[in-house]
């Protein structure tokens, strides 16, 4: 079993590039099948979930080439419309293939998707939106049998601004006849990135980034080359790592506007931050202070994906910070592990009260989900002594070369195989 060994206490300094966004590239990879042509994607991160998406594309019959950060998908030879259960279970985003496959072939068969265990993660909004567009969906023994000989544009009002349901509806609507209007759509930057990709492929779509997205379906798609946006969650993780360990770091190639809730919180906690449209500089030279309550919310609110790494940084602070997790019902699994490192955190339902401590101590801990795993790395960098973090399979789903990047900033972190110690 591989593990990260972290010797805490080194200040971080230097500059880092942020790789392409996992949550953009996954729906974009699904969307490539709709064209029946060649799509060239640049800035694709080397992540477990990207590999899983490529496996799905290959299973469907597409030809995929991966060279460094460039993935080329030729979806012309696509010959299947089903996805086997073992591939569906790899990640949550496998469900976004549903809208794309229906748009391309009018039929789809798949089971329910996997992904991080963050509480119940239904797909009812995905299914009701696709049904509104004309898909007939039978749910039998954990399997979805979908038929949509003809998808027709319509009004889709999402009761929750679900990211995945917005993406699935966008894809199916591009393959529908007529106009679809999605109201209460998710406004996350990754939705705007998907829209930009679809426009580059020939779709008529506008409004992503706002609550109303309008899609005029039925236009032909063509070949394209597209660069995936930078990963704002990875950028947020590096910011919290500097806040935890101290130091001065420039994070390059990120849009600071997408990080404003995180940077505002870190400034309140005592960090110095300077931003321009292409980079964010952070300096942290003093112990952190507790901050006003952090309430996660759909974009542009505080992103749930940064909740755990920020909590790890504020676990070592002067004062108390209250977190309220409003997006997922069970996204505090990192708390028990942080407490092994000496954190003082109490959880009651969706609320976590973090009483800052002066020092965290290195410990043996286990990542139980992606961002919770990143939080353990953040905490270990700021802790006294050595930590051993297992469960790297979770972290590898969303961070490319996390240890190498942190080492380039001066952190003492190594990936090892079982049994090795520092
Ligand atoms: C996306 O998940 C991201 N994943 C998540 O990132 C992110 O945390 C989340 O959006 C919120 O920003 C990807 O983009 C691959 P949702 P998604 O549908 O689409 C409920 C990470 O660490 N809901 O917006 O699954 C749902 O249960 C990950 O990178 C329904 O009730 O999120 C949740 O409480 C984890 N019915 C809320 O809505 C539905 O049909 C928001 O979920 C769909 C969702």
């Amino acid at each position: 079993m591989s593990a990260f060994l972290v010797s805490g206490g080194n200040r971080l300094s230097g500059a880092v590039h942020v790789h392409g966004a996992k949550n953009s590239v996954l729906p974009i990879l699904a969307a490539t099948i709709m064209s029946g042509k060649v799509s060239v994607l640049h800035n694709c991160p080397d992540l477990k979930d990207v590999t899983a998406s490529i496996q799905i594309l290959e299973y469907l019959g597409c030809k995929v080439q991966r060279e460094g950060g460039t993935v080329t998908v030729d979806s012309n030879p696509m010959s299947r419309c089903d996805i086997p259960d073992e591939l569906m279970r790899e990640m949550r985003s496998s469900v976004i293939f549903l809208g794309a496959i229906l748009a391309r072939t009018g039929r789809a068969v798949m089971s329910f998707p996997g992904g991080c265990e963050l509480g119940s993660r239904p797909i009812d909004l995905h299914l009701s939106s696709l049904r509104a567009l004309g898909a007939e969906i039978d749910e039998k023994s954990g399997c979805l049998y979908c038929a949509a000989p003809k998808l027709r544009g319509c009004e889709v009002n999402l009761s929750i601004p679900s990211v995945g349901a917005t993406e699935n509806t966008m894809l199916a609507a591009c393959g529908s006849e007529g106009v679809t209007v999605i109201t209460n759509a998710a406004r996350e930057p990754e939705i705007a990135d998907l829209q930009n990709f679809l426009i580059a492929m020939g779709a008529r779509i506008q409004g992503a980034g706002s609550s109303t997205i309008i899609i005029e379906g039925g236009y032909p798609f063509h070949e394209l080359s597209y660069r995936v946006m930078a990963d704002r969650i990875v950028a947020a993780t590096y910011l919290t790592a500097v806040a935890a360990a101290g130091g001065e770091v420039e994070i390059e190639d990120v849009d600071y506007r997408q990080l404003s809730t995180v940077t505002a919180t870190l400034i309140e906690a005592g960090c110095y931050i300077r931003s321009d449209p292409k980079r964010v500089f952070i300096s942290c030279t003093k112990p952190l202070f507790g901050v006003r309550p952090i309430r996660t919310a759909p974009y542009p609110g505080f992103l749930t994906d940064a909740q755990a790494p920020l909590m790890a940084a504020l676990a070592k602070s002067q004062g108390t910070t209250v977190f309220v997790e409003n997006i997922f019902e069970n996204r505090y699994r990192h708390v028990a592990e942080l407490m092994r490192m000496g954190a003082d955190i109490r959880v009651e339902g969706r609320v976590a009260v973090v009483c800052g401590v002066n020092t965290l101590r290195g410990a043996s801990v286990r990542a139980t989900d992606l961002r919770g795993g990143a939080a353990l790395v953040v905490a270990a960098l700021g802790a006294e002594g050595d930590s051993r973090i297992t469960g790297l399979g979770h972290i590898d789903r969303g961070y490319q070369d996390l240890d190498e990047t942190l080492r380039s900033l001066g952190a003492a972190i190594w990936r090892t195989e079982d049994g090795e110690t520092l």
Side-chain angles (χ1 to χ4, degrees):
M1 191 202 313
S2 51
F4 280 150
L5 300 182
V6 184
S7 192
N10 288 10
R11 294 168 67 77
L12 306 182
S13 72
V16 281
H17 286 275
V18 170
H19 59 67
K22 166 180 85 77
N23 292 348
S24 269
V25 75
L26 299 181
I28 287 175
L29 282 167
T32 60
I33 65 172
M34 299 197 317
S35 69
K37 304 226 162 53
V38 174
S39 306
V40 182
L41 303 179
H42 301 290
N43 205 27
C44 292
D46 185 6
L47 302 172
K48 237 173 109 182
D49 280 10
V50 171
T51 305
S53 289
I54 290 174
Q55 283 170 344
I56 292 177
L57 289 167
E58 288 176 336
Y59 177 84
L60 292 171
C62 302
K63 287 216 171 76
V64 186
Q65 277 184 318
R66 194 174 185 178
E67 266 185 65
T70 300
V71 174
T72 304
V73 182
D74 180 359
S75 59
N76 182 43
M78 178 174 158
S79 53
R80 309 187 66 114
C81 64
D82 64 303
I83 302 180
D85 187 50
E86 65 270 21
L87 291 178
M88 284 303 292
R89 284 178 186 275
E90 282 289 309
M91 56 175 181
R92 172 80 175 176
S93 275
S94 50
V95 74
I96 310 299
F97 277 90
L98 181 53
I101 296 177
L102 279 180
R104 169 86 187 262
T105 70
R107 274 181 348 108
V109 180
M110 58 181 65
S111 51
F112 284 78
C116 281
E117 285 173 26
L118 311 172
S120 103
R121 296 180 75 181
I123 56 167
D124 54 322
L125 298 176
H126 299 242
L127 301 186
S128 60
S129 304
L130 296 174
R131 283 186 173 119
L133 285 162
E136 280 172 22
I137 306 177
D138 272 350
E139 299 172 51
K140 271 188 236 144
S141 324
C143 231
L144 300 165
Y145 297 89
C146 315
K150 199 159 226 158
L151 291 166
R152 282 197 191 80
C154 67
E155 210 163 285
V156 173
N157 181 21
L158 295 174
S159 54
I160 301 171
S162 153
V163 171
T166 302
E167 292 165 347
N168 236 333
T169 312
M170 285 165 78
L171 299 193
C174 283
S176 306
E177 271 182 18
V179 176
T180 298
V181 179
I182 309 175
T183 52
N184 198 26
R187 290 182 283 167
E188 270 69 4
E190 292 78 10
I191 303 278
D193 210 32
L194 177 61
Q195 169 175 284
N196 292 339
F197 169 84
L198 292 169
I199 290 172
M201 198 164 80
R204 304 269 173 106
I205 170 165
Q206 55 171 293
S210 77
S211 297
T212 306
I213 301 177
I214 302 169
I215 302 128
E216 236 183 297
Y219 283 86
F221 300 122
H222 44 73
E223 296 195 355
L224 82 159
S225 161
Y226 188 78
R227 186 176 171 82
V228 175
M229 67 175 252
D231 198 311
R232 65 193 171 103
I233 308 169
V234 170
T237 305
Y238 289 138
L239 288 170
T240 57
V242 181
E248 297 196 332
V249 170
E250 188 157 274
I251 298 166
E252 297 170 346
D253 302 325
V254 287
D255 185 338
Y256 74 100
R257 292 165 299 188
Q258 297 172 357
L259 291 165
S260 59
T261 50
V262 176
T263 51
T265 305
L266 291 174
I267 290 169
E268 194 185 335
C271 302
Y272 169 79
I273 291 185
R274 195 178 62 230
S275 311
D276 70 37
K278 285 250 159 204
R279 58 189 67 76
V280 177
F281 170 80
I282 177 167
S283 164
C284 185
T285 52
K286 295 176 294 215
L288 300 177
F289 300 112
V291 296
R292 275 174 288 192
I294 309 286
R295 296 183 175 84
T296 64
Y299 193 82
F302 192 94
L303 63 163
T304 170
D305 305 314
Q307 174 255 107
L310 181 67
M311 185 183 291
L314 289 171
K316 197 181 71 175
S317 64
Q318 296 170 0
T320 298
T321 302
V322 173
F323 286 78
V324 186
E325 173 53 58
N326 291 310
I327 305 295
F328 291 109
E329 63 186 28
N330 183 13
R331 209 172 194 181
Y332 286 138
R333 297 172 76 203
H334 50 282
V335 166
E337 305 298 309
L338 290 175
M339 287 171 71
R340 286 171 179 252
M341 302 175 84
D344 179 356
I345 304 172
R346 266 158 294 158
V347 174
E348 183 83 39
R350 288 182 178 267
V351 176
V353 179
V354 179
C355 297
V357 295
N358 290 333
T359 45
L360 292 177
R361 295 179 307 275
S364 216
V365 288
R366 189 166 63 88
T368 52
D369 63 85
L370 167 55
R371 308 302 168 191
L376 301 181
V377 173
V378 168
L381 292 171
E384 282 179 5
D386 299 341
S387 296
R388 184 167 189 277
I389 302 166
T390 53
L392 299 196
H394 294 288
I395 300 177
D396 292 341
R397 294 185 44 217
Y399 296 87
Q400 179 180 329
D401 302 328
L402 182 61
D403 50 332
E404 232 174 79
T405 309
L406 289 168
R407 253 196 329 273
S408 76
L409 297 175
I413 173 169
W414 290 271
R415 182 185 284 259
T416 68
E417 293 312 315
D418 205 18
E420 291 179 73
T421 50
L422 275 178

